Amino acid sequence: MPKLKLPTHYWVIISLLVLLTRFAWAGDTAKADSNVLRTFEAFSALPAYGTPALSPSGTKLAFVQNVSTPEDLAILSTYDLVEGKKHYLLRSDNEKVKIRWYKWVNDERLLVSARYQTRRGTTKVHDTRLLSMRFDGGGKGPFNLIRWDRLRQKSGNPTHIPQFHDDVIDWLDDDPDHILLQLDAEALGLPTVYKVNVNTGTTSRIEKGKKKIRDWLTDRQHNVRVGVSLDFDSGERNVYLKEDDDWRTLFSYNAMREKGEYPLGFAKDPNILYYRGYKGDYQAIFKLNLTTNEHTEVFSDEGYDVSGSLIYSSVTNDVVGVWHNGRRYWDDRFKGLQKGINKGLPNFENTLVSFSRDEQVYLVYSESDVQPGLFFLGNREKGSLDFVFQQYPQIDAAALSDHELIKYKARDGVEIEAYLTLPKGEGPFPTIIHPHGGPGARDFSGFDYWTAYFTHKGYAVLRPNFRGSKGYGYSFSQSQMKGWGLAMQDDITDAANWMVEQGYAEHGNMCIVGASYGGYAALMATVKTPELFNCAVSFAGVSSLKHIVIHSRKFLNNEFVKNQIGDDFDDLEARSPYYNAEGIKTPILLVHGDEDRIVRPLQSQYMAEELEDYDKTFKYVELESGDHSLSIQRNRHRFFEEMDAFLDMYLHQKPAANVETQSVSQGE
């Protein structure tokens, strides 16, 4: 079986393999021996399918399917809706290489972003490459679109190998053979814009990197018009507009310390630029007339940031809405379509995720708090909406519970939003406090496989959007700056106490579970409130802020990390679980992937060593080839298995309605 290879000077072979027809589509035939599904495995299974994409004609689908054959594989396939034929293109074991995204560039060809593990010097990082292939796997097969051995001859820095090859800035919808891509081939962190032939990989330079511009933006006529600069040391950012051979400064601010404006895209009218700015303390969408310099508000959401990207119509070539808690449209055609879908699929959050070029064929993603994701194929001419596939077929929605958006007051009076999910039955319940990662992230309503697993076991769950969470305004978000372990940690403590006050939980029967920053919060809870929780679970959590700052010196954004976390080592140690392990009383489960490039496994290894030195109750599990997002099926199962047993030891569980153990075929 042929392998896709990077040039030898990359020192690595991509283990994405072209699929031969001997791999059956698991959705067609389940020939593998059946096995008994352990209860947690319905929730720890990877989604059966990734988000599908329609070809420009609307006659073909591309999708990734996670299967067990018996290897755990992610398979990229296409399906011809007219001829009823399937084509198997690529497979990945999600270990050394992972399929990041895929997109049709024309009806015959797809581009696929592949992420793989590599090193820059001694530092472990992820690189990306862009693969081009026919929809049926024909021709010369998948190939690296950016041929560095050719491109380096044109660059002034032949020893620098760009880390990311997949930053497409314009898909050139009216030129199906080319894309515009930005690549820092000539200077580290200073991308040049290239026009790339998707069939041959031939490149031509369109705009040379300059003026510390890190991101480029084209108008709807595909001209490079805007550059966004950033000084990594000072944080100064400028938004430049190209005017012939000159550059006009549209916006200027310090990205570390000031509110600012960021360009999102052009209207069909090349003189109208949409940007995200601030309406008071909250982000909103505005448009700027580049001729008259008139600024107009387009969309805002009182009390919340609008932080999504623009939505364009391929028919009108103009902006029709914005991504915001799903999608928000201001174009009447799309508003009508969305209204019709919502009427046909009530009680779901329905999101249009893909369209044909003429916008007559479309894909809808539907979910609810209790219903995992479903995909439907719609046809506006036929007035049809047909089920395609679902992401978690083994989960019984009837056994799950809806989320309730609640608000509680922190000890200093600040109001915090959180999502409360109660299991079936009467409380008080054994309870999980589940802080999100980030910390510049946010929990929403909708299906969440962690929460579903917890409530299925009979646990109440509270997910607080503590200070530092995104979406609640500039001041709220900036609370995380040098604030890890302080008020934002107290918000999580106050969330647990609120659960007790409301009668949903009781002291002596609560655990805290988190991943990434949530793992840090779980560990820090054992330091600040050693009597509050029966146990703590940290997946890929941070234990030493000082080591985060030290490690960041190897990266361009080192000053941003210090601005966020701090650079006073005494203060960092005071806010780090690793340096305060002696006073910990809470049993801890530490789990970390040994190939995590986001939070290094040393963070959990150091913590485990310190806990062992102080003879604390803990367990450390290291996942082989594991990454930061539990992308490998065996590792996701292993983590849930360890967590399942650990929670059973420390939470006093009441009887609850459970999904019956069922027999399933591998690969379903």
Side-chain angles (χ1 to χ4, degrees), residues 7 104 109 207 310 329 387 428 430 476 627 645:
W104 296 87
R109 186 164 292 276
E207 189 71 51
L310 299 176
Y329 297 104
F387 172 77
F476 195 89
D627 63 7

Side-chain angles (χ1 to χ4, degrees), residues 539 591-595 621-626 630 635 638-639:
F539 171 75
V591 184
H592 218 118
D594 67 3
E595 291 294 342
V621 178
E622 198 161 279
L623 302 175
E624 181 185 3
S625 302
L630 292 169
N635 284 339
R638 173 73 188 283
F639 168 63

Side-chain angles (χ1 to χ4, degrees), residues 25 51 73 79 202 227 303 306 341 405 468 492 519 615 644:
W25 189 41
T51 300
L73 297 173
Y79 182 77
T202 303
V306 180
I341 293 170
L405 179 62
I492 297 169
D615 197 25
D644 191 72

Side-chain angles (χ1 to χ4, degrees), residues 281-335:
D281 204 46
Y282 298 93
Q283 290 180 330
I285 306 297
F286 301 85
K287 60 182 178 181
L288 168 63
N289 187 310
L290 298 171
T291 302
T292 65
N293 207 38
E294 179 183 4
H295 298 255
T296 306
E297 180 186 331
V298 175
F299 180 75
S300 61
D301 186 0
E302 185 176 357
Y304 298 95
D305 291 323
V306 180
S307 56
S309 57
L310 299 176
I311 304 169
Y312 284 92
S313 165
S314 58
V315 172
T316 66
N317 197 33
D318 213 347
V319 180
V320 295
V322 63
W323 281 96
H324 180 63
N325 298 347
R327 287 191 172 201
R328 297 290 179 92
Y329 297 104
W330 48 73
D331 181 281
D332 288 340
R333 294 178 305 118
F334 287 85
K335 288 168 67 176

Side-chain angles (χ1 to χ4, degrees), residues 359-374:
E359 295 175 352
Q360 295 303 304
V361 183
Y362 58 90
L363 285 167
V364 177
Y365 173 76
S366 300
E367 70 168 23
S368 69
D369 293 348
V370 299
Q371 175 60 59
L374 308 169

